[in-house]
Amino acid sequence: MNDAVTLRSGCKVNLDLHITSRRDDGYHEIDSLFLPLEEPHDELVVTVGDAPGITVTCAIQGIDPTRNTVTRAYDAYAEASGFRPPLRVELRKGVPHGAGLGGGSANAAAILNHLESIAPHPLGRETLCRLAARIGADVPFFIHAVPCRASGIGEIITPVAWPYKGFTLLLACPQVQVSTAWAYGALDAAEEKQLRVRGCLTTGGVADRNSFSRESWLHNSFEPVVFASHPELRSLKEALLRHGAAAALMSGSGASVFALFRRREDAEAAFEQLKGHDIRVYQHLL
């Protein structure tokens, strides 16, 4: 590999997210439906380095160039395969931090897939997915990059047929960041206090994915605690519903919020309304 290679790394939304239990090791069991999205996306510009190993640079503050999902993915692959090519990676961020979109996990999967494609002795998809799970619970999903049901801590991935073709998904990314670690801590604290609060315009229970009732279809276990600290996210969700969305939900631990529209013209109207309010907005025809 002599020339620069640009890897495009997308993101995901959780079309529902149930935190089902907390394990003794501190991890949380989930039941979620993951949907890959091409936008927003990051780019990883890969060139040949001077010595075996990887060097990562990024202009965005808050990313440790020596220890991040890309370097951890490289180290895991090198340990498993013995393949240690000299790489320089310039990470160009387009997926916002703290948005609940899995941008870091997507970057890890991108570098794993790249190493697998250039390795003299590839590890195979099954081994690659096991390595991915060591880096982050949702990294295996990005190896597959198709709609999947996720269980366990997110590492048990089952591809699913996509039943919602024809809907328009609107993804809104406000200038708010939510730490996943904080969100889990807040959720645990609420459980310990035996607080049972309902989410905004969604309820708990097993989701009926053949129903598009605002009150009963989508659920995100994080919404009550995140909305309590960031009421502007609740307001964003309510605004999307007022614009005619069949359903709306915060993705992951936030702060992004998405909505599903039956009518594309409603989605386009909401897009035009939101983009002038310091919110990055993306449209996806499913």
Side-chain angles (χ1 to χ4, degrees):
M1 184 187 70
N2 296 318
D3 299 326
V5 175
T6 300
L7 309 177
R8 185 185 176 98
S9 174
C11 62
K12 69 167 176 63
V13 291
N14 300 76
L15 284 186
D16 59 13
L17 176 56
H18 294 258
I19 310 298
T20 58
S21 65
R22 183 182 182 184
R23 305 192 321 193
D24 291 340
D25 61 6
Y27 286 97
H28 295 75
E29 300 272 346
I30 70 168
D31 174 33
S32 186
L33 182 61
F34 289 172
L35 174 68
L37 299 177
E38 293 185 357
E39 295 293 343
H41 73 276
D42 292 346
E43 290 183 345
L44 294 84
V45 181
V46 184
T47 54
V48 177
D50 297 323
I54 189 170
T55 301
V56 176
T57 59
C58 183
I60 301 297
Q61 295 292 325
I63 295 178
D64 183 347
T66 64
R67 192 65 178 167
N68 50 68
T69 57
V70 174
T71 59
R72 282 159 44 206
Y74 179 95
D75 291 343
Y77 194 93
E79 180 183 351
S81 66
F83 180 53
R84 299 177 181 274
L87 298 184
R88 290 195 190 97
V89 176
E90 179 190 355
L91 176 58
R92 299 174 179 173
K93 288 293 295 177
V95 180
H97 281 301
L101 298 175
S105 295
N107 293 336
I111 205 69
L112 286 175
N113 282 328
H114 179 66
L115 289 168
E116 183 76 348
S117 72
I118 64 174
H121 304 289
L123 296 174
R125 179 58 64 92
E126 184 176 344
T127 300
L128 199 66
C129 287
R130 286 200 298 269
L131 288 181
R134 289 168 45 191
I135 301 158
D138 55 358
V139 179
F141 162 74
F142 287 105
I143 298 292
H144 293 274
V146 296
C148 289
R149 172 66 52 192
S151 57
I153 61 171
E155 86 287 9
I156 303 172
I157 299 296
T158 305
V160 296
W162 188 241
Y164 306 126
K165 292 181 180 179
F167 278 74
T168 298
L169 185 146
L170 202 68
L171 176 65
C173 302
Q175 299 296 314
V176 178
Q177 294 184 7
V178 176
S179 162
T180 299
W182 170 86
Y184 271 114
L187 188 63
D188 288 342
E191 289 294 321
E192 289 171 4
K193 294 177 182 177
Q194 295 185 336
L195 297 179
R196 297 294 183 267
V197 290
R198 291 162 62 98
C200 172
L201 298 177
T202 57
T203 61
V206 177
D208 174 7
R209 291 158 186 91
N210 294 316
S211 167
F212 287 94
S213 165
R214 293 178 183 176
E215 291 77 26
S216 64
W217 181 44
L218 298 180
H219 173 79
N220 183 332
S221 297
F222 284 118
E223 277 194 353
V225 294
V226 173
F227 285 177
S229 293
H230 298 281
E232 66 272 33
L233 300 182
R234 179 193 296 269
S235 297
L236 175 58
K237 175 177 175 175
E238 292 172 342
L240 287 165
L241 290 168
R242 286 196 301 271
H243 276 289
L249 196 73
M250 187 178 73
S251 181
S253 56
S256 64
V257 178
F258 70 88
L260 293 171
F261 291 84
R262 289 190 182 91
R263 291 164 26 104
R264 188 161 191 177
E265 53 266 39
D266 290 339
E268 290 173 350
F271 178 89
E272 293 299 325
Q273 181 68 27
L274 290 175
K275 72 178 185 179
H277 293 274
D278 203 24
I279 297 175
R280 294 164 60 181
V281 192
Y282 305 87
Q283 286 190 72
H284 300 268
L285 181 61
L286 303 181

